[in-house]
mmCIF file of all heavy atoms in Angstrom:
data_model
loop_
_atom_site.group_PDB
_atom_site.id
_atom_site.type_symbol
_atom_site.label_atom_id
_atom_site.label_comp_id
_atom_site.label_asym_id
_atom_site.label_seq_id
_atom_site.Cartn_x
_atom_site.Cartn_y
_atom_site.Cartn_z
ATOM 1 N N PHE A 86 50.249 -12.832 116.131
ATOM 2 C CA PHE A 86 51.580 -13.123 116.660
ATOM 3 C C PHE A 86 51.669 -12.689 118.122
ATOM 4 O O PHE A 86 50.927 -11.831 118.584
ATOM 5 C CB PHE A 86 52.691 -12.447 115.837
ATOM 6 C CG PHE A 86 52.673 -10.944 115.886
ATOM 7 C CD1 PHE A 86 53.314 -10.250 116.900
ATOM 8 C CD2 PHE A 86 52.027 -10.219 114.891
ATOM 9 C CE1 PHE A 86 53.304 -8.861 116.932
ATOM 10 C CE2 PHE A 86 52.011 -8.831 114.918
ATOM 11 C CZ PHE A 86 52.650 -8.147 115.939
ATOM 12 N N TYR A 116 51.435 -8.521 121.631
ATOM 13 C CA TYR A 116 50.470 -9.315 120.875
ATOM 14 C C TYR A 116 50.020 -8.455 119.701
ATOM 15 O O TYR A 116 49.839 -7.242 119.845
ATOM 16 C CB TYR A 116 49.253 -9.694 121.723
ATOM 17 C CG TYR A 116 48.178 -10.346 120.896
ATOM 18 C CD1 TYR A 116 48.293 -11.674 120.514
ATOM 19 C CD2 TYR A 116 47.088 -9.624 120.454
ATOM 20 C CE1 TYR A 116 47.336 -12.270 119.716
ATOM 21 C CE2 TYR A 116 46.121 -10.202 119.648
ATOM 22 C CZ TYR A 116 46.250 -11.530 119.288
ATOM 23 O OH TYR A 116 45.304 -12.106 118.494
ATOM 24 N N GLY A 117 49.835 -9.081 118.545
ATOM 25 C CA GLY A 117 49.417 -8.291 117.404
ATOM 26 C C GLY A 117 48.809 -9.119 116.301
ATOM 27 O O GLY A 117 48.733 -10.352 116.373
ATOM 28 N N TYR A 118 48.382 -8.400 115.291
ATOM 29 C CA TYR A 118 47.788 -9.014 114.109
ATOM 30 C C TYR A 118 48.253 -8.228 112.887
ATOM 31 O O TYR A 118 48.282 -6.994 112.911
ATOM 32 C CB TYR A 118 46.259 -8.987 114.196
ATOM 33 C CG TYR A 118 45.585 -9.618 113.005
ATOM 34 C CD1 TYR A 118 45.523 -11.000 112.885
ATOM 35 C CD2 TYR A 118 45.028 -8.838 112.008
ATOM 36 C CE1 TYR A 118 44.918 -11.589 111.792
ATOM 37 C CE2 TYR A 118 44.420 -9.410 110.904
ATOM 38 C CZ TYR A 118 44.366 -10.789 110.805
ATOM 39 O OH TYR A 118 43.773 -11.374 109.724
ATOM 40 N N ALA A 119 48.615 -8.945 111.836
ATOM 41 C CA ALA A 119 49.025 -8.319 110.582
ATOM 42 C C ALA A 119 48.195 -8.919 109.451
ATOM 43 O O ALA A 119 47.958 -10.126 109.422
ATOM 44 C CB ALA A 119 50.507 -8.542 110.321
ATOM 45 N N MET A 120 47.744 -8.039 108.548
ATOM 46 C CA MET A 120 46.954 -8.519 107.410
ATOM 47 C C MET A 120 47.488 -7.910 106.122
ATOM 48 O O MET A 120 48.024 -6.799 106.141
ATOM 49 C CB MET A 120 45.481 -8.173 107.591
ATOM 50 C CG MET A 120 45.178 -6.722 107.681
ATOM 51 S SD MET A 120 43.415 -6.565 108.015
ATOM 52 C CE MET A 120 43.285 -4.826 108.145
ATOM 53 N N LEU A 128 49.329 -4.465 106.812
ATOM 54 C CA LEU A 128 48.926 -3.563 107.880
ATOM 55 C C LEU A 128 49.105 -4.322 109.178
ATOM 56 O O LEU A 128 48.572 -5.425 109.330
ATOM 57 C CB LEU A 128 47.468 -3.120 107.717
ATOM 58 C CG LEU A 128 46.942 -2.200 108.817
ATOM 59 C CD1 LEU A 128 47.681 -0.858 108.780
ATOM 60 C CD2 LEU A 128 45.442 -1.993 108.666
ATOM 61 N N GLU A 129 49.866 -3.749 110.103
ATOM 62 C CA GLU A 129 50.174 -4.425 111.365
ATOM 63 C C GLU A 129 49.649 -3.600 112.534
ATOM 64 O O GLU A 129 49.872 -2.398 112.601
ATOM 65 C CB GLU A 129 51.692 -4.608 111.478
ATOM 66 C CG GLU A 129 52.125 -5.304 112.724
ATOM 67 C CD GLU A 129 53.629 -5.453 112.773
ATOM 68 O OE1 GLU A 129 54.188 -6.120 111.888
ATOM 69 O OE2 GLU A 129 54.225 -4.876 113.685
ATOM 70 N N MET A 130 48.953 -4.263 113.447
ATOM 71 C CA MET A 130 48.442 -3.640 114.668
ATOM 72 C C MET A 130 48.961 -4.445 115.843
ATOM 73 O O MET A 130 48.879 -5.674 115.827
ATOM 74 C CB MET A 130 46.919 -3.658 114.657
ATOM 75 C CG MET A 130 46.323 -2.921 113.470
ATOM 76 S SD MET A 130 44.659 -3.451 113.055
ATOM 77 C CE MET A 130 44.972 -4.983 112.193
ATOM 78 N N SER A 131 49.514 -3.762 116.864
ATOM 79 C CA SER A 131 50.016 -4.498 118.021
ATOM 80 C C SER A 131 49.921 -3.658 119.284
ATOM 81 O O SER A 131 49.824 -2.430 119.238
ATOM 82 C CB SER A 131 51.458 -4.975 117.795
ATOM 83 O OG SER A 131 52.333 -3.890 117.699
ATOM 84 N N ILE A 132 49.953 -4.362 120.402
ATOM 85 C CA ILE A 132 49.939 -3.746 121.717
ATOM 86 C C ILE A 132 50.961 -4.501 122.567
ATOM 87 O O ILE A 132 51.186 -5.689 122.362
ATOM 88 C CB ILE A 132 48.527 -3.784 122.345
ATOM 89 C CG1 ILE A 132 48.490 -2.961 123.627
ATOM 90 C CG2 ILE A 132 48.052 -5.211 122.566
ATOM 91 C CD1 ILE A 132 47.096 -2.690 124.137
ATOM 92 N N LYS A 170 50.670 0.210 118.579
ATOM 93 C CA LYS A 170 51.319 0.446 117.298
ATOM 94 C C LYS A 170 50.399 0.100 116.127
ATOM 95 O O LYS A 170 49.704 -0.908 116.154
ATOM 96 C CB LYS A 170 52.570 -0.432 117.250
ATOM 97 C CG LYS A 170 53.549 -0.105 116.204
ATOM 98 C CD LYS A 170 54.908 -0.632 116.589
ATOM 99 C CE LYS A 170 55.317 -1.810 115.787
ATOM 100 N NZ LYS A 170 56.665 -2.256 116.017
ATOM 101 N N LEU A 171 50.437 0.953 115.117
ATOM 102 C CA LEU A 171 49.776 0.730 113.842
ATOM 103 C C LEU A 171 50.820 1.032 112.770
ATOM 104 O O LEU A 171 51.325 2.147 112.703
ATOM 105 C CB LEU A 171 48.558 1.648 113.688
ATOM 106 C CG LEU A 171 47.789 1.542 112.384
ATOM 107 C CD1 LEU A 171 47.119 0.182 112.271
ATOM 108 C CD2 LEU A 171 46.745 2.646 112.310
ATOM 109 N N SER A 172 51.164 0.037 111.956
ATOM 110 C CA SER A 172 52.236 0.198 110.971
ATOM 111 C C SER A 172 51.810 -0.308 109.607
ATOM 112 O O SER A 172 51.113 -1.310 109.488
ATOM 113 C CB SER A 172 53.477 -0.610 111.384
ATOM 114 O OG SER A 172 53.936 -0.236 112.637
#
Side-chain angles (χ1 to χ4, degrees):
F86 65 86
Y116 172 78
Y118 180 77
M120 61 184 178
L128 178 66
E129 181 180 298
M130 301 157 282
S131 66
I132 188 167
K170 195 158 107 173
L171 179 67
S172 302

